[in-house]
Amino acid sequence: MGVEALAESLGRNILTTTLGKVVGWGRGNSVWPAQFGLACCAIEMIATATAGVDIGRFGSEAFRASPRQSDLMIVSGRVSQKMAPILRTIYDQMPEPKWVISMGACASTGGIFNNYALLQGVDKIVPVDVYIPGCPPRPEDLLNALMILQERIKAQGILPQQ
Amino acid sequence: MTDTITQGVTVTKTGEKGAFGGELLTVNFGPHHPSTHGVLRLIVDLDGEQVRSLKPVIGYLHTGIEKQMEALRWQQGVTVTDRHDYLSPPINNLAYALAVEKLMGVVVPPRADALRVIMSELTRLSSHLVWMGTSGLELGAMSMLMYCFRERDTILDMNEEISGFRMHTSYIRPGGVMADATPRFLEMLDRFIHDMPGHVDEYENLLTNNPIWRSRTIGIGRLSAEDAKVLGATGPMLRGSGVAWDLRRSIPYSGYENYDFEIATSDMCDCYGRYLVRIKEMREAVKILRQALDRLPDGPVNVDDRKMLPPPREELETSMEAVIHHFKLFTEGYSVPPGDVYVAVESGRGENGCYVVSDGTHKPRRVKFRSASFVNLQALEQMSLNHMIADMVAIIGTADTVLGDCDR
Amino acid sequence: MISEPLIVEQGVSAGDHWVTVGSGSIRDALAELKKDGFTLLVFLTCVDHLADSSRQWPARYELVYELRNLEKPEQIRVRAFIDGDPPHIDSVHDLFPPANWEERETYDMFGIIFNDHPDLSRILMPDDWVGHPLRRDYPVGGEVVEFSEEHETWQTPPEKA
């Protein structure tokens, strides 16, 4: 094979890109959520994983039971004052980089329960990347939030700014 | 204490000797555990792999619903009732609506009663479907989740058609229902009733004679009829122990006495018995739906009381009085005569009741929800003693506790 | 049924039969009812009558026991009024096992001490919580919502803002 032919065949098979884009692409398309259900929204989260909506199309069907293996926490439901320290611990146990979706009105703001028992928004204890409105949001809303998060992850590169 | 919670599953030695020569271990199970159906925490003493004592710890989903209801007006409270047992919202609405109506001495029209029965039975079906899907998943039958949620989505589509909301419908309100059924809803319901028995057959083909399912549920989590009665268990927990107690038959409400259905019971007293009861209940629910749809009476769906329910939209443009009533209702609300009342309805989990105390103002003095999960969970220790820890998953699953209902 | 000397008052509220007994004789009254077939304690709760002017109340806290006879079926509501800080009443957990958690919940939410309860601890709120949320003098809590009447900037006149 001559040098020209070699150069030509390499040109067809080699892409040049930045490492950040490749890592972002990989991370964004394999977001593994922690299997962490709280209240009503958890049922819709389960519905998102079933055949009708199929979160697996976006590479996130692997709900991990252990926070050590997951990089997305979907806070699906209301967070009580008693649950808040546990939620924070689970977040701390997740490896970097990690992201949080606050699913539903209760997780985002306390929703209709403006009272002593509930944390008025999960962003008081963990940083939230995407908020989903709704009580509970439809499964399609969760997919939309996941796609927004994927775009963000892809743009972040190697070292995501937390 | 907090250390053991936050570390997930933590093991400590109690120093006591077990039956097999080893020491008893105290294991913390939950609240973040995939098989506890929410945020239930259990502290289990283990001898080898066998459970020697068990203490449930609840409250991780305490929402302050009862306090919140005291701060809301009577008609606003309906939205809060939806969210306490989030697998059967219309049934919670029904308990609250019946309690308020009983205090006010209001009787709803027959069409409203029939629509309430339809919504209750649809909800019972969807609640059982979620139970069967998730319990199947936990015991290794992953396809159950896919099949059950397929039919559940059909029910949620119907919810959306009739009320505009998938899960928390707030459809049943004091004084009637939110709106009349649309022709499309009745058409969807008819198709659903036609298809559903075939789907239940499908589930039975997958589970009833499945050797894995049978070996993981038969003889597991035994609860005798006496124990179930003493521990106050209701719903499929009680009927799975062979006691034919169903509030729809024993203390009928919303015209349930006019429907022909059987009370599902099983004498097996174990997890499998409770499974059979739920399968039977799904078939009976379809039967009730068919009767309700065929005999759906015509007429209004709300009481004709302008002090309690807003006037129809078209009246607002022509009638001054309608505008005044509308304004009064949405600024001040209506008041309920002083007194207290308790109304119980049969939800998918057992007796869900509502105890309402009024002091004559436009807000309740006290609303107490009697939740089936809260009481049924107390039978958990009785059921799981001397079982393997892996069987706990089946036992928690078939007890079908909803933690939102339990912690309120 | 409950023997005559224990009954303080009885009546019907919206179709439900109720009986008021003295707070000291609640165990005797419930034991008699249990003997008569009222074997299921449907629920147990408390009502705080602080500043309730709709009626004259004998005391601030009203304990409500709803019992059911599964054979008939028949229901009866037993009330007992208690005062004090903290208020005390006898536990019925040995007569009706479901009362165990219900009494813990009532203690958690209203601060009522049930004498001889095996494990009277908080059940819904965290162990280190201060106060009893369902008492009427406990605020609903939560956060001030923007544009609501309670919001500070909403109340501040424009010249002071």
Side-chain angles (χ1 to χ4, degrees):
Chain A
M1 196 187 280
V3 176
E4 287 83 14
L6 183 67
E8 193 191 345
S9 72
L10 281 178
R12 277 202 209 115
N13 291 308
I14 290 179
L15 286 175
T16 52
T17 180
T18 60
L19 187 58
K21 272 190 186 157
V22 176
V23 169
W25 176 77
R27 274 183 188 149
N29 288 313
S30 61
V31 183
W32 285 9
Q35 189 175 14
F36 180 56
L38 285 170
C40 335
C41 297
I43 309 296
E44 290 293 66
M45 187 172 79
I46 299 170
T48 318
T50 53
V53 192
D54 196 8
I55 201 171
R57 291 179 292 163
F58 302 90
S60 295
E61 78 279 21
F63 280 85
R64 304 315 292 184
S66 165
R68 309 273 185 206
Q69 298 166 350
S70 49
D71 39 22
L72 169 66
M73 178 193 256
I74 302 174
V75 184
S76 53
R78 44 202 192 233
V79 185
S80 68
Q81 304 282 1
K82 199 171 176 177
M83 194 65 197
I86 297 155
L87 187 130
R88 175 71 208 193
T89 315
I90 293 167
Y91 178 78
D92 288 340
Q93 285 172 339
M94 284 163 55
E96 294 274 354
K98 52 194 170 189
W99 297 275
V100 177
I101 289 180
S102 161
M103 185 179 180
C106 296
S108 304
T109 65
I112 61 170
F113 301 108
N114 191 7
N115 64 25
Y116 65 95
L118 283 199
L119 199 64
Q120 299 297 309
V122 74
D123 47 8
K124 288 198 165 55
I125 52 168
V126 292
V128 177
D129 292 273
V130 184
Y131 298 88
I132 317 177
C135 186
R138 299 177 63 93
E140 291 88 337
D141 287 336
L142 182 56
L143 286 189
N144 184 39
L146 185 69
M147 285 156 74
I148 292 172
L149 185 71
Q150 284 181 339
E151 291 306 314
R152 197 171 291 180
I153 294 172
K154 285 173 189 171
Q156 273 173 347
I158 297 179
L159 293 173
Q161 298 295 311
Q162 283 293 329
Chain B
M1 188 66 117
T2 39
D3 274 342
T4 52
I5 302 170
T6 50
Q7 292 304 315
V9 176
T10 310
V11 176
T12 52
K13 294 186 176 185
T14 60
E16 278 177 73
K17 283 270 182 263
F20 307 121
E23 284 181 11
L24 287 192
L25 297 178
T26 305
V27 173
N28 180 57
F29 198 81
H32 163 232
H33 190 281
S35 73
T36 52
H37 277 236
V39 285
L40 174 65
R41 178 181 169 212
L42 302 168
I43 299 170
V44 194
D45 277 354
L46 289 181
D47 179 7
E49 269 199 76
Q50 290 189 355
V51 176
R52 288 284 180 259
S53 83
L54 178 146
K55 190 183 170 213
V57 181
I58 60 169
Y60 291 100
L61 201 56
H62 178 57
T63 317
I65 281 176
E66 289 169 6
K67 187 83 177 177
Q68 192 75 50
M69 299 274 293
E70 290 172 13
L72 295 174
R73 292 194 292 274
W74 288 99
Q75 76 264 42
Q76 290 176 318
V78 178
T79 50
V80 182
T81 60
D82 273 327
R83 284 152 181 89
H84 88 96
D85 177 356
Y86 43 79
L87 288 186
S88 46
I91 297 183
N92 306 334
N93 294 164
L94 183 58
Y96 177 70
L98 285 174
V100 175
E101 281 160 9
K102 206 170 165 191
L103 261 185
M104 295 180 78
V106 171
V107 178
V108 297
R111 190 175 170 88
D113 265 341
L115 285 172
R116 285 173 172 195
V117 168
I118 288 176
M119 287 306 278
S120 299
E121 292 309 313
L122 280 178
T123 312
R124 194 181 318 282
L125 276 167
S126 82
S127 161
H128 283 348
L129 285 170
V130 172
W131 166 77
M132 196 153 58
T134 52
S135 291
L137 179 73
E138 281 157 9
L139 297 186
M142 178 149 183
S143 47
M144 285 313 294
L145 186 75
M146 303 293 171
Y147 284 108
C148 292
F149 271 69
R150 183 186 61 188
E151 270 71 64
R152 177 181 174 270
D153 248 38
T154 320
I155 295 175
L156 293 196
D157 286 346
M158 278 190 270
N159 277 354
E160 204 173 356
E161 173 63 28
I162 199 168
S163 75
F165 214 134
R166 265 167 71 90
M167 273 176 80
H168 301 316
T169 53
S170 297
Y171 179 69
I172 298 170
R173 297 170 181 191
V177 295
M178 188 201 98
D180 203 350
T182 59
R184 180 155 174 264
F185 171 81
L186 298 176
E187 201 181 290
M188 290 164 93
L189 182 63
D190 189 50
R191 203 177 322 130
F192 176 77
I193 297 169
H194 182 261
D195 293 346
M196 192 60 196
H199 292 311
V200 181
D201 291 342
E202 252 175 25
Y203 312 143
E204 284 222 74
N205 282 342
L206 280 164
L207 286 184
T208 305
N209 291 317
N210 181 332
I212 301 174
W213 178 261
R214 287 175 70 97
S215 60
R216 289 220 54 188
T217 51
I218 292 179
I220 305 293
R222 286 191 64 83
L223 186 69
S224 67
E226 278 70 50
D227 283 347
K229 277 186 189 169
V230 166
L231 291 167
T234 47
M237 291 261 289
L238 186 62
R239 293 195 285 276
S241 299
V243 183
W245 171 266
D246 191 320
L247 283 167
R248 293 177 289 173
R249 179 62 53 78
S250 316
I251 310 174
Y253 54 90
S254 289
Y256 264 112
E257 62 274 18
N258 304 325
Y259 297 95
D260 172 37
F261 66 99
E262 285 171 40
I263 300 177
T265 57
S266 163
D267 290 328
M268 297 188 67
C269 305
D270 55 10
C271 291
Y272 193 69
R274 293 191 273 279
Y275 156 75
L276 290 180
V277 164
R278 291 200 174 96
I279 285 277
K280 183 85 192 295
E281 271 190 24
M282 285 165 72
R283 294 192 187 281
E284 295 302 313
V286 176
K287 255 168 71 182
I288 297 174
L289 281 173
R290 170 52 71 198
Q291 296 168 37
L293 182 62
D294 287 349
R295 303 199 308 235
L296 188 64
D298 289 324
V301 293
N302 279 316
V303 290
D304 189 24
D305 184 354
R306 292 282 179 271
K307 296 270 189 294
M308 193 176 174
L309 287 165
R313 190 79 213 163
E314 53 276 8
E315 251 182 62
L316 280 179
E317 289 161 11
T318 53
S319 158
M320 185 65 207
E321 268 178 12
V323 177
I324 295 171
H325 280 140
H326 188 274
F327 180 74
K328 284 279 277 182
L329 199 58
F330 285 99
T331 50
E332 194 181 291
Y334 52 84
S335 54
V336 172
D340 59 343
V341 72
Y342 175 70
V343 174
V345 298
E346 185 79 24
S347 86
R349 267 154 288 286
E351 174 174 347
N352 261 21
C354 189
Y355 174 66
V356 172
V357 184
S358 168
D359 53 6
T361 58
H362 59 286
K363 287 177 181 173
R365 159 91 9 192
R366 171 101 172 90
V367 180
K368 151 93 181 166
F369 289 108
R370 192 270 185 201
S371 69
S373 310
F374 186 78
V375 183
N376 287 357
L377 205 54
Q378 293 183 64
L380 198 62
E381 177 163 22
Q382 180 74 21
M383 288 195 291
S384 38
L385 283 188
N386 298 327
H387 280 302
M388 300 287 180
I389 188 159
D391 293 333
M392 296 272 310
V393 177
I395 297 167
I396 299 168
T398 50
D400 194 19
T401 50
V402 166
L403 268 294
D405 183 27
C406 181
D407 298 345
R408 300 181 298 285
Chain C
M1 297 309 281
I2 305 177
S3 53
E4 207 58 48
L6 298 180
I7 298 175
V8 177
E9 203 186 344
Q10 57 183 328
V12 178
S13 166
D16 299 357
H17 288 271
W18 57 266
V19 176
T20 304
V21 299
S23 62
S25 50
I26 187 75
R27 276 184 66 87
D28 299 339
L30 292 194
E32 282 178 18
L33 282 173
K34 191 182 177 188
K35 218 177 288 168
D36 286 346
F38 288 89
T39 48
L40 177 67
L41 178 80
V42 183
F43 70 87
L44 180 171
T45 191
C46 175
V47 184
D48 184 353
H49 290 296
L50 180 72
D52 179 1
S53 53
S54 67
R55 268 176 284 173
Q56 280 291 319
W57 298 102
R60 179 175 166 186
Y61 300 104
E62 174 192 347
L63 280 159
V64 182
Y65 302 77
E66 181 95 15
L67 301 183
R68 182 180 295 151
N69 186 339
L70 289 174
E71 310 299 325
K72 292 260 180 92
E74 202 174 52
Q75 274 175 212
I76 190 163
R77 189 173 304 146
V78 182
R79 308 172 195 273
F81 288 89
I82 49 172
D83 247 331
D85 190 29
H88 284 263
I89 194 159
D90 288 336
S91 167
V92 294
H93 75 274
D94 46 343
L95 292 172
F96 299 97
N100 189 331
W101 280 18
E102 301 263 11
E103 286 180 352
R104 280 179 67 191
E105 189 195 337
T106 311
Y107 161 72
D108 192 356
M109 291 292 144
F110 289 93
I112 290 171
I113 309 285
F114 289 89
N115 305 329
D116 304 325
H117 190 281
D119 174 27
L120 197 65
S121 55
R122 286 193 183 270
I123 184 166
L124 296 181
M125 301 308 294
D127 289 336
D128 53 355
W129 196 261
V130 178
H132 300 284
L134 275 180
R135 286 190 177 184
R136 292 294 284 203
D137 48 6
Y138 191 96
V140 178
E143 277 181 11
V144 177
V145 179
E146 251 180 288
F147 305 113
S148 71
E149 285 169 11
E150 295 87 27
H151 197 263
E152 203 179 324
T153 54
W154 190 249
Q155 288 179 338
T156 320
E159 62 271 17
K160 287 186 184 167

